[in-house]
Amino acid sequence: NAGVTQTPKFRVLKTGQSMTLLCAQDMNHEYMYWYRQDPGMGLRLIHYSVGEGTTAKGEVPDGYNVSRLKKQNFLLGLESAAPSQTSVYFCASSYERLYEQYFGPGTRLTVT
Amino acid sequence: QQPVQSPQAVILREGEDAVINCSSSKALYSVHWYRQKHGEAPVFLMILLKGGEQKGHEKISASFNEKKQQSSLYLTASQLSYSGTYFCGTEGSGGSNYKLTFGKGTLLTVNP
């Protein structure tokens, strides 16, 4: 039982490049979330999903897209990376809305 | 809107007590507390629901004042392992938000 895993752990991109971050969970959770964490800012929600095939915008969705084609996977895409997207990205999942969120180990992304 | 946490940082000696506060400008349905150690993912501590229900950690207590839109986390007889950054996440009332807005965090340092 791996919990929540994220791929990759680290990545350096040049401005304008694109990439996809993969989040996978093996707990059969309905809800999945993508957060970014910047120094002194706490965790800010980018996008979330309340079930397979559904996605919704969070607080800071601009510049990101997501897909949830399979229940266990939640993908976060950056179409044209910008230096402002340099951050640590965390994926999380939960069984339902008012249950604890389990976080993945994070992806450290640097955009130069 | 991001909830406001206070204090921003606190330093304790082992065995001392601490209170961390979380305040929102809007009506709340639930408050969630997480702890994050440096370089790691956030870990769930507790959920407090409107109406008084609580779910979470046995050794940590918290309160939720619905009228004042405030929550407090009580750490008693602190241990070295309590060190980390504590985040509160709030869910607005209305029952269909499905997402948390996190505060900027409170850094707790416990020294021997």
Side-chain angles (χ1 to χ4, degrees):
Chain A
N1 189 341
V4 180
T5 57
Q6 292 183 229
T7 309
K9 289 187 169 54
F10 303 93
R11 186 73 186 267
V12 178
L13 286 180
K14 293 189 176 180
T15 298
Q17 289 184 321
S18 63
M19 77 163 295
T20 301
L21 281 68
L22 171 63
C23 176
Q25 52 95 4
D26 61 2
M27 296 173 282
N28 202 34
H29 285 172
E30 289 293 336
Y31 290 60
M32 295 188 75
Y33 314 83
W34 274 108
Y35 294 94
R36 60 176 290 173
Q37 186 172 38
D38 303 294
M41 295 297 294
L43 294 154
R44 292 185 291 171
L45 183 66
I46 305 171
H47 286 281
Y48 64 101
S49 168
V50 300
E52 181 179 315
T54 74
T55 62
K57 294 181 180 179
E59 297 172 64
V60 290
D62 293 343
Y64 305 95
N65 56 75
V66 288
S67 64
R68 183 117 181 253
L69 299 179
K70 293 183 178 180
K71 187 176 183 178
Q72 64 267 34
N73 296 336
F74 195 28
L75 278 64
L76 178 71
L78 286 74
E79 289 187 347
S80 180
S84 60
Q85 293 178 305
T86 293
S87 188
V88 178
Y89 291 85
F90 285 102
C91 174
S93 72
S94 64
Y95 174 63
E96 275 191 11
R97 175 175 139 238
L98 294 174
Y99 282 70
E100 66 179 284
Q101 293 187 20
Y102 292 81
F103 283 79
T107 295
R108 184 172 294 275
L109 175 66
T110 302
V111 183
T112 61
Chain B
Q1 196 168 4
Q2 230 175 355
V4 176
Q5 290 186 231
S6 62
Q8 289 184 316
V10 58
I11 300 174
L12 300 175
R13 287 199 180 274
E14 220 173 347
E16 291 181 338
D17 301 338
V19 180
I20 299 172
N21 301 302
C22 176
S23 178
S24 175
S25 60
K26 57 180 185 178
L28 300 177
Y29 185 81
S30 68
V31 179
H32 305 226
W33 287 94
Y34 286 79
R35 176 171 62 208
Q36 184 179 29
K37 293 186 180 288
H38 184 68
E40 299 181 6
V43 174
F44 170 78
L45 294 175
M46 179 164 288
I47 294 175
L48 301 106
L49 303 176
K50 189 175 179 178
E53 185 181 351
Q54 294 186 12
K55 309 184 213 181
H57 208 288
E58 291 180 357
K59 295 186 178 180
I60 292 175
S61 62
S63 64
F64 179 20
N65 187 323
E66 298 163 32
K67 289 183 180 178
K68 291 186 177 180
Q69 296 140 207
Q70 293 175 347
S71 176
S72 295
L73 187 71
Y74 305 98
L75 302 163
T76 57
S78 59
Q79 305 171 16
L80 295 177
S81 62
Y82 286 10
S83 291
T85 301
Y86 289 77
F87 293 99
C88 69
T90 58
E91 181 183 7
S93 64
S96 62
N97 287 313
Y98 307 118
K99 56 187 180 181
L100 298 179
T101 303
F102 283 92
K104 293 183 179 181
T106 295
L107 177 61
L108 177 73
T109 303
V110 181
N111 292 321

